[in-house]
Amino acid sequence: SRSASLKVDAWVSPSRSELRVREASRRRLAVTALECRDLPKADLLGQNDVYLELSLDDGKVVHTSVVEDGGATPVWGAGGGETVLLVPSSATGRDSATVRGPNLNLPQKLQVDVMDKDVKGSDFIGRHTVELADLAEKEGGSFDEDWCGEGWFELKDHKGGAAGKVRLVLRWAVPTPTPRLPSDESESTGESLLQHVRHGTHARARA
């Protein structure tokens, strides 16, 4: 009888650069809003009702909650902060214009807009654009690994004038699901990253 032959295709391992891109594409930017100071008054009557609009490379805009009557010094989460996750466009399957050297398809800029919520619409207070690659390098990291940084960021109004400051914690990492108890009503997708932030850079800053 004729013996049957089994053809086995050679296993091709992904290159190191491919593994780097795959790992990087799983990472997210967790932004923790802590507080603002010296915000100009946006309303003739009453205090500023402050929230943040956050976006990566002019992509999808994510909002924080509104700090009602925050005035010039709003604080999120009673001082513990509020964390939101931003997904880079490369992780959503869309074409990305964020090619920078070896860091393929990774976000370059975080745009932070501080807003005043009104009954009809919102008023712009100030903006800061964070250069993420520069911040990662400053914190001794890169887009190929986890990094975390905290700081005060200067805000500018539409005319380029000073408009106060916003204090943020930025963490670039792979989100890890947090086990929840049946009674846990939290729906924050950044909860596990927030725990790292609270016990990491933010905690050291308060020590």
Side-chain angles (χ1 to χ4, degrees):
S1 61
R2 182 177 299 176
S3 61
S5 61
L6 178 63
K7 182 180 179 180
V8 178
D9 293 332
W11 172 262
V12 179
S13 300
S15 66
R16 180 174 298 180
S17 61
E18 289 174 332
L19 290 175
R20 288 175 56 202
V21 171
R22 290 181 188 178
E23 180 68 14
S25 67
R26 297 175 55 225
R27 286 181 164 84
R28 305 289 183 263
L29 183 67
V31 180
T32 302
L34 295 172
E35 57 184 318
C36 295
R37 69 185 181 193
D38 302 328
L39 297 184
K41 189 175 177 60
D43 296 324
L44 293 177
L45 300 176
Q47 298 290 327
N48 295 334
D49 298 322
V50 185
Y51 70 95
L52 304 184
E53 291 184 350
L54 306 160
S55 62
L56 288 175
D57 299 319
D58 299 322
K60 180 181 178 180
V61 177
V62 179
H63 302 80
T64 66
S65 62
V66 178
V67 180
E68 297 184 357
D69 294 327
T73 57
V75 175
W76 281 268
E82 177 185 335
T83 298
V84 297
L85 282 183
L86 286 86
V87 181
S89 59
S90 59
T92 63
R94 295 185 290 127
D95 291 337
S96 173
T98 57
V99 178
R100 183 170 180 173
N103 295 324
L104 299 178
N105 296 325
L106 296 173
Q108 289 188 12
K109 297 180 180 180
L110 168 68
Q111 181 171 295
V112 183
D113 287 350
V114 179
M115 310 293 293
D116 169 46
K117 181 70 174 178
D118 288 331
V119 176
K120 296 182 178 180
S122 299
D123 296 323
F124 174 84
I125 295 179
R127 170 177 295 171
H128 186 96
T129 301
V130 181
E131 298 287 345
L132 294 174
D134 294 340
L135 180 60
E137 182 178 358
K138 177 182 177 182
E139 299 300 330
S142 71
F143 283 111
D144 301 324
E145 57 190 6
D146 295 353
W147 54 264
C148 182
E150 176 188 352
W152 285 97
F153 299 90
E154 301 277 352
L155 299 168
K156 300 294 183 181
D157 60 21
H158 283 308
K159 297 182 180 180
K165 300 179 180 180
V166 59
R167 184 180 172 211
L168 305 171
V169 175
L170 307 181
R171 182 174 175 83
W172 176 252
V174 178
T176 302
T178 302
R180 295 181 180 177
L181 299 175
S183 60
D184 186 4
E185 297 179 356
S186 172
E187 295 182 356
S188 172
T189 56
E191 183 177 357
S192 60
L193 284 175
L194 176 58
Q195 299 303 319
H196 289 290
V197 171
R198 282 178 174 169
H199 297 291
T201 304
H202 182 30
R204 291 196 298 271
R206 291 192 167 193

